[in-house]
Amino acid sequence: GVWRCKNAGTTLTAVLGEHPQSSGATAIDQANPEVVWVGTGETWVRNSVSVGDGVYRSADGGDTWTRVGLEHSERVARIAVHPKDGNTAYVCALGALYADHDERGVFRTRDAGKSWEKVLHVGPDTGCADLAMDPRDPSVLYAGLWQVRRQPWHFTSGGPRSGLYRTQDAGTTW
């Protein structure tokens, strides 16, 4: 889940409340710390892994939350928020583990989650495992994609679609 502290670590309060308690990613808008993004779903891919239901955003420091999309991504590994434009964020979605799935890869919003575009997708069995934005140039991002399949009796990790991808134009080309 997501917890908030307002007194230097003395007490913590759960703030995601009625929403899924399995969170894979949290990001704070550096230009406006009241804006918090949370991607749900657990990205540690053991047999008893929890599933999420998309991305949530709070504009009031975690008091209230709105689901802003990617409801079928199941597992969000990382969120990167543009340091000067808090409406622009990138979501690294690992996706479903037990079957092919189309809501995997890297997604971008430029309107605070009202709409999303898939900017990096290499196959239905390959999701995004990690994402980093260059702090000096936010149009440069690195995405680690992982071809992975979990079955109750077997685990396949890696494959020809796994790899490190880089964009220099904010996700238009990789």
Side-chain angles (χ1 to χ4, degrees):
V2 178
W3 298 73
R4 177 178 58 202
C5 176
K6 291 186 173 185
N7 54 16
T10 303
T11 59
L12 296 168
T13 305
V15 294
L16 208 48
E18 69 276 5
H19 306 294
Q21 293 302 300
S22 174
S23 58
T26 304
I28 298 172
D29 181 347
Q30 296 304 302
N32 180 4
E34 289 294 304
V35 176
V36 182
W37 297 75
V38 172
T40 61
E42 193 175 5
T43 57
W44 297 99
V45 294
R46 61 193 188 284
N47 276 348
S48 60
V49 65
S50 297
V51 175
D53 70 347
V55 176
Y56 290 81
R57 184 177 181 273
S58 174
D60 56 14
D63 289 334
T64 60
W65 295 90
T66 302
R67 186 167 59 184
V68 293
L70 304 177
E71 289 89 347
H72 304 289
S73 60
E74 291 194 12
R75 288 164 190 82
V76 174
R78 186 85 58 207
I79 300 172
V81 180
H82 192 287
K84 293 186 171 115
D85 176 10
N87 290 322
T88 298
Y90 297 83
V91 167
C92 168
L94 187 58
L97 295 178
Y98 292 93
D100 283 352
H101 192 251
D102 204 38
E103 206 162 288
R104 295 176 181 257
V106 179
F107 297 83
R108 175 179 60 201
T109 182
R110 293 180 177 173
D111 56 12
K114 292 180 183 81
S115 64
W116 293 91
E117 55 186 317
K118 191 184 311 182
V119 294
L120 179 59
H121 179 80
V122 299
D125 62 350
T126 305
C128 184
D130 208 351
L131 179 71
M133 180 181 284
D134 186 327
R136 294 167 297 172
D137 184 355
S139 64
V140 176
L141 291 101
Y142 297 88
L145 295 192
W146 183 23
Q147 188 175 351
V148 61
R149 177 63 48 86
R150 166 62 77 186
Q151 299 295 335
W153 62 89
H154 183 70
F155 180 67
T156 303
S157 175
R161 285 182 288 283
S162 295
L164 183 62
Y165 292 78
R166 179 177 188 242
T167 181
Q168 296 180 170
D169 56 12
T172 302
T173 60
W174 292 82

